[in-house]
Amino acid sequence: MSGRRGGNRIRGPQSALTDFLAANNISAAQIRDEYERRLREAGQDENAGEGASNATPQQATATPSAVDTAEEVAEEEEEKTKKRKRSQKEAIDKIKKAKASKKPKKKGKGGGSDDDDDDYDDDFATDMYKKAKPMPGQFEHCEICSKRFTVTPYSKEGPEGGLLCTPCGKELAKEQKQEKKAASKPAGRRRRKLESDRLDGIASGGAKSLMQLCIEKVAKHHEDVEELGDIPPTVLEKLSEIFSKKRVMKSRTLRLFLRPDLQSVIVHDAAYLELEDYRQMFAIVPNMRRLVLANACQMKDEAVEYMIERCHKLQHLQLYAANLITNDMWAGLFQEMGQELEVVKLKWLDASFEDHSVREMVQCCPRLERVKLKLCRRIGEDAVAALAELPNLKHLSLQIGRPVPTDVLCSLVVQRGAALRTLSLEKFLDADDSILQAVHDNCNVLSKFRFCENDTATDAGYTALFTNWRNPALTFVDINSTRDVDNNNPEGPEEAIGIASPGFRALMAHSGSAIKHLDIASCRHIELSAFMDVFNGAQTYPMLEHINVSFCNRVDTSVVVGIFKSCPALKKLVAFGCFDVQDVVVPRDCVVIGIPRAADAIEQFGVGIGVDEAIGRMVEVGA
Amino acid sequence: MSSELTDYVTLVSSDGFSFVVQRSCACISGAIKRMLDPAYGFTESRTNTCRFENMSGAVLEKVCEYFYYKEKYQDAKDAPDMDFPLELALELLIAADYLDV
């Protein structure tokens, strides 16, 4: 449209003479006069459209005396050039729009509509007052490169207010775009990203580690990386993690992580990998001892067959969501590879893997030391009973959806307890005090104990477990969500279900010297007095790094202060839903997450102040 | 040689470039810190010079830059990420692993 309008003035190639005259600016005066006349006409046209007969004050000031004559001419010509004038006005309109890009687009194709006429007038007048700009079709010298060019409705305005030639205009637009991008990103998104990183444990105050920076850089440019070279396996694992996190672990990138000398293949997101990729994996790294494939949803029987054929040294097998593997293949896998296997971790299996598969595993894998079975939908009681027969079991982690009778679980603990280093029982809702008693009686080398999401075991059971226990102090305790939830009884039962004050005191008395990780989230019955006694500042827990007291609603600010004092090694305190905690000042090297009334962030991070100073400041705030 | 700790230490790359940096910065790296600790009695702690046969000058320069960057943003809440050329990323990665930074 504007092209056609421009055509009113630029009619094809010009004669050499016209070109020459124009090039030498011979008709400069005439050009200017004409220009001013046209501007004026356009202004009058606007007023006419508005219904106002008189020129506005802006216009009066904007048109210098030299225009007086032009005005007469304009009046004469007005009628016969009505049509042309209209298109000129539109062109002006257009060029102005192009220049003042900050103005929102509101003008219709048919020129200024009534509602924005005032606006138009204003801008128009000031524009004209500032500097007379050439019309589309005329020549102008570019403000930046000083080259001559033809003005079009699209010509951009330079930093000084002049017009720019097309190449310079493009450059400028590009720069502006980049600036906009750079300026818009920091505020919101960067801060959220930073908090997310901290919650992930990547960033911990101050600058990121050089390793982290490099890993992020490599992951960002994963498409350009040809090979990773002789990177140490630990770094390779970290890279693999971040590749999975960014969902770029595909056929091409997988190759980067396959090296014949490697002893492990670790892919935390194998969702994109297909049969061919699995073949490649087992072909290139036949000596792998450790295989971790999460989201292995495309891993089929053929892939497993090939693995059985190629990898004879596999000791550690960890598969999540490998639902295309049939029961027969599971059995075959354990029969063929069982002699070597020491670790089996399986999660999220719901299409196959039955109780008899577990039995097969127990029979074929005498060396199994570590077993984790979580969210495998088809296994239940029989599987638990079968696991009790594993002679070398040292680490056990179970989460089973189907109900498992307490006595079966108990007999497992009784039979294997003596050798267990770690025991994790999640969501065994019906497990009662007898399990805790079995742990107390049988386990004596346990270092990690998880018993969460249970609403049957009572505080007396926990107290008994942690009192006079032969087992040395635990380093990891997770007994979160051990409580009874009943909508008809929101205050909770009279007799405490789940760990309560005496149990908590007993736990910390037993394990306080070695405990590193303590999770007592949603343990509703622990009273303020118990927290105050345990974290009293005098008693210290030298190893304790990570505490989760979320939804322990008795926790208040003084408990948090006590935690800071009593735990010199504290790195992270999680306290969602502790509504009595206010105005915490966090000491150096420590992260506090989830304080509900934190003014600026969910997560608070200690900078540059020690525990004493932090506590001092808290007292000031409180006073 | 000198028994007291100097303020500056020298880091030398495999191709002979040497970088004189503040001791406090260099000790951000756990590896360098141990090298320079007189308690361990390594040669490095007596000469206050660390040679890195596995790092080129370009990499070591970036590492030094990182030390200063890290110290500058030690207590900052949101530090901007340091930038470096992509082609150095993998070598830097290995260096970072080695130096424990």
Side-chain angles (χ1 to χ4, degrees):
Chain A
M1 175 131 185
S2 55
R4 248 188 299 139
R5 245 183 263 132
N8 277 341
R9 254 156 283 108
I10 312 168
R11 287 191 195 81
Q14 287 175 324
S15 72
L17 178 61
T18 319
D19 250 345
F20 174 79
L21 290 175
N24 288 287
N25 280 341
I26 285 175
S27 55
Q30 192 202 338
I31 289 167
R32 196 189 59 230
D33 284 348
E34 269 213 346
Y35 167 59
E36 281 168 351
R37 177 180 56 76
R38 266 185 266 124
L39 287 191
R40 195 161 166 72
E41 277 172 15
Q44 282 177 343
D45 194 41
E46 279 294 307
N47 284 338
E50 218 175 51
S53 53
N54 294 329
T56 60
Q58 283 104 318
Q59 269 183 321
T61 49
T63 46
S65 59
V67 185
D68 284 354
T69 46
E71 200 173 341
E72 287 168 21
V73 183
E75 275 164 10
E76 278 171 27
E77 279 183 10
E78 195 169 55
E79 269 177 49
K80 65 180 174 187
T81 62
K82 202 158 195 173
K83 201 177 168 191
R84 202 179 123 223
K85 186 180 65 187
R86 187 172 169 75
S87 61
Q88 279 168 354
K89 188 191 70 78
E90 280 171 7
I92 296 165
D93 200 356
K94 243 335 205 242
I95 193 172
K96 206 169 66 66
K97 239 200 286 185
K99 282 182 293 185
S101 56
K102 64 186 171 191
K103 262 180 74 178
K105 280 186 199 166
K106 54 186 173 181
K107 272 164 202 172
K109 283 180 181 176
S113 52
D114 286 347
D115 62 331
D116 52 45
D117 276 353
D118 283 347
D119 199 14
Y120 177 86
D121 256 3
D122 263 3
D123 282 359
F124 184 70
T126 45
D127 266 6
M128 208 169 69
Y129 193 56
K130 215 166 38 186
K131 192 179 175 186
K133 295 215 177 69
M135 290 283 84
Q138 291 183 319
F139 291 105
E140 171 72 320
H141 292 274
C142 172
E143 192 189 295
I144 293 177
C145 63
S146 305
K147 274 189 194 136
R148 260 169 57 81
F149 70 101
T150 316
V151 177
T152 72
Y154 300 109
S155 297
K156 295 263 184 302
E157 194 174 345
E160 304 286 320
L163 290 175
L164 300 179
C165 68
T166 319
C168 291
K170 274 186 188 158
E171 281 291 304
L172 191 79
K174 214 192 269 174
E175 273 170 34
Q176 278 171 345
K177 211 172 164 189
Q178 271 174 358
E179 267 171 37
K180 215 174 162 189
K181 230 183 189 175
S184 66
K185 217 177 168 183
R189 226 172 105 196
R190 233 186 69 200
R191 216 184 83 181
R192 278 201 297 279
K193 177 82 185 85
L194 193 78
E195 287 204 11
S196 149
D197 280 353
R198 283 195 191 136
L199 291 170
D200 285 349
I202 295 172
S204 58
K208 284 180 190 160
S209 74
L210 183 56
M211 175 94 86
Q212 188 63 34
L213 287 173
C214 292
I215 286 177
E216 279 171 16
K217 187 96 174 179
V218 174
K220 196 173 161 196
H221 298 276
H222 61 95
E223 279 168 358
D224 306 328
V225 182
E226 288 300 324
E227 62 172 324
L228 293 171
D230 274 338
I231 283 193
T234 47
V235 183
L236 206 61
E237 276 173 38
K238 280 188 189 158
L239 265 175
S240 160
E241 282 168 15
I242 201 111
F243 271 58
S244 291
K245 188 184 170 207
K246 293 191 180 282
R247 304 210 182 277
V248 293
M249 194 57 110
K250 304 186 179 177
S251 299
R252 215 190 76 80
T253 36
L254 175 70
R255 311 276 143 93
L256 302 174
F257 296 93
L258 303 178
R259 257 179 13 213
D261 61 311
L262 288 176
Q263 303 213 327
S264 54
V265 173
I266 296 172
V267 180
H268 291 288
D269 179 8
Y272 291 113
L273 305 186
E274 293 172 20
L275 184 59
E276 196 41 48
D277 302 311
Y278 286 114
R279 284 231 175 91
Q280 190 113 29
M281 188 187 292
F282 303 129
I284 298 180
V285 202
N287 292 325
M288 65 169 89
R289 301 237 152 88
R290 193 159 158 234
L291 176 66
V292 178
L293 297 172
N295 287 341
C297 47
Q298 302 196 61
M299 188 172 188
K300 298 180 191 159
D301 282 359
E302 289 106 301
V304 179
E305 254 168 44
Y306 195 61
M307 176 175 81
I308 294 172
E309 199 180 299
R310 295 279 303 176
C311 308
H312 299 291
K313 295 182 179 168
L314 198 65
Q315 294 172 341
H316 178 129
L317 179 66
Q318 189 170 342
L319 297 176
Y320 296 163
N323 274 312
L324 294 183
I325 303 177
T326 58
N327 279 326
D328 290 346
M329 191 41 77
W330 279 117
L333 171 76
F334 294 128
Q335 282 158 11
E336 299 292 330
M337 310 187 90
Q339 284 303 318
E340 296 291 323
L341 281 177
E342 290 175 2
V343 178
V344 171
K345 295 185 179 183
L346 304 171
K347 278 209 295 197
W348 294 105
L349 298 175
D350 28 55
S352 56
F353 200 72
E354 319 263 348
D355 282 340
H356 63 79
S357 313
V358 177
R359 206 168 305 120
E360 192 75 46
M361 177 179 85
V362 172
Q363 280 163 9
C364 298
C365 313
R367 298 168 70 175
L368 268 189
E369 289 184 356
R370 192 183 282 260
V371 174
K372 180 183 219 172
L373 298 174
K374 274 173 85 172
L375 303 152
C376 299
R377 220 173 50 173
R378 304 174 85 93
I379 61 172
E381 186 185 339
D382 286 353
V384 176
L387 288 173
E389 284 151 33
L390 273 174
N392 292 312
L393 194 62
K394 294 195 175 106
H395 307 272
L396 178 64
S397 181
L398 291 178
Q399 180 180 347
I400 289 174
R402 296 184 179 180
V404 177
T406 310
D407 56 324
V408 177
L409 202 55
C410 252
S411 85
L412 170 67
V413 175
V414 169
Q415 288 181 58
R416 297 274 71 91
L420 283 183
R421 267 67 164 177
T422 64
L423 175 62
S424 169
L425 301 173
E426 286 174 78
K427 226 173 180 177
F428 284 94
L429 293 173
D430 300 327
D432 59 16
D433 290 355
S434 60
I435 301 286
L436 300 176
Q437 192 59 45
V439 172
H440 180 271
D441 293 343
N442 294 284
C443 300
N444 48 32
V445 284
L446 214 54
S447 66
K448 170 177 169 178
F449 178 58
R450 174 180 283 127
F451 186 73
C452 61
E453 292 187 77
N454 170 281
D455 57 7
T456 312
T458 65
D459 180 55
Y462 292 99
T463 314
L465 167 64
F466 293 112
T467 311
N468 299 324
W469 191 10
R470 283 174 300 159
N471 198 73
L474 298 168
T475 55
F476 185 109
V477 178
D478 180 358
I479 37 176
N480 81 74
S481 309
T482 50
R483 74 322 193 200
D484 180 57
V485 179
D486 183 355
N487 290 340
N488 295 323
N489 186 12
E491 293 299 309
E494 284 285 302
E495 193 85 349
I497 289 179
I499 197 164
S501 302
F504 181 55
R505 284 196 183 101
L507 158 66
M508 293 308 281
H510 173 266
S511 295
S513 58
I515 194 167
K516 273 175 98 166
H517 185 112
L518 173 67
D519 191 339
I520 46 168
S522 300
C523 293
R524 63 196 300 188
H525 293 289
I526 305 176
E527 294 297 325
L528 180 61
S529 60
F531 281 115
M532 298 292 262
D533 286 352
V534 167
F535 298 111
N536 59 11
Q539 178 72 41
T540 60
Y541 305 100
M543 313 297 274
L544 197 46
E545 289 176 357
H546 184 118
I547 305 177
N548 187 351
V549 291
S550 300
F551 304 101
C552 292
N553 41 26
R554 299 290 186 275
V555 169
D556 68 3
T557 315
S558 55
V559 173
V560 174
V561 172
I563 289 175
F564 288 155
K565 277 187 186 165
S566 290
C567 311
L570 187 69
K571 286 189 178 146
K572 192 170 181 180
L573 172 65
V574 186
F576 285 97
C578 299
F579 292 99
D580 289 340
V581 178
Q582 292 167 341
D583 300 325
V584 170
V585 180
V586 184
R588 183 202 292 269
D589 294 336
C590 174
V591 185
V592 176
I593 295 171
I595 302 286
R597 289 182 203 162
D600 53 349
I602 298 177
E603 163 268 13
Q604 297 194 3
F605 190 79
V607 272
I609 49 173
V611 175
D612 291 338
E613 196 182 342
I615 292 167
R617 285 201 204 169
M618 269 191 264
V619 172
E620 272 169 40
V621 173
Chain B
M1 292 257 289
S2 60
S3 57
E4 64 196 66
L5 296 180
T6 52
D7 283 347
Y8 286 85
V9 296
T10 312
L11 309 179
V12 186
S13 71
S14 60
D15 44 2
F17 289 96
S18 52
F19 300 88
V20 180
V21 297
Q22 276 180 354
R23 180 181 293 270
S24 60
C25 286
C27 285
I28 285 169
S29 153
I32 296 182
K33 187 177 177 166
R34 284 186 287 276
M35 281 180 189
L36 293 174
D37 191 339
Y40 293 99
F42 293 121
T43 325
E44 282 88 349
S45 66
R46 274 181 278 121
T47 57
N48 290 318
T49 305
C50 301
R51 296 194 149 270
F52 298 103
E53 295 302 334
N54 50 359
M55 277 175 232
S56 67
V59 172
L60 193 56
E61 184 183 7
K62 274 291 161 194
V63 169
C64 295
E65 191 183 326
Y66 174 79
F67 287 155
Y68 281 96
Y69 155 84
K70 176 83 177 171
E71 194 172 68
K72 180 177 171 195
Y73 291 105
Q74 201 172 27
D75 283 336
K77 256 196 136 172
D78 43 355
D81 286 352
M82 191 180 91
D83 198 38
F84 49 84
L86 179 60
E87 52 276 18
L88 279 183
L90 286 175
E91 283 178 82
L92 262 181
L93 191 56
I94 295 171
D97 181 56
Y98 176 78
L99 291 172
D100 183 21
V101 285

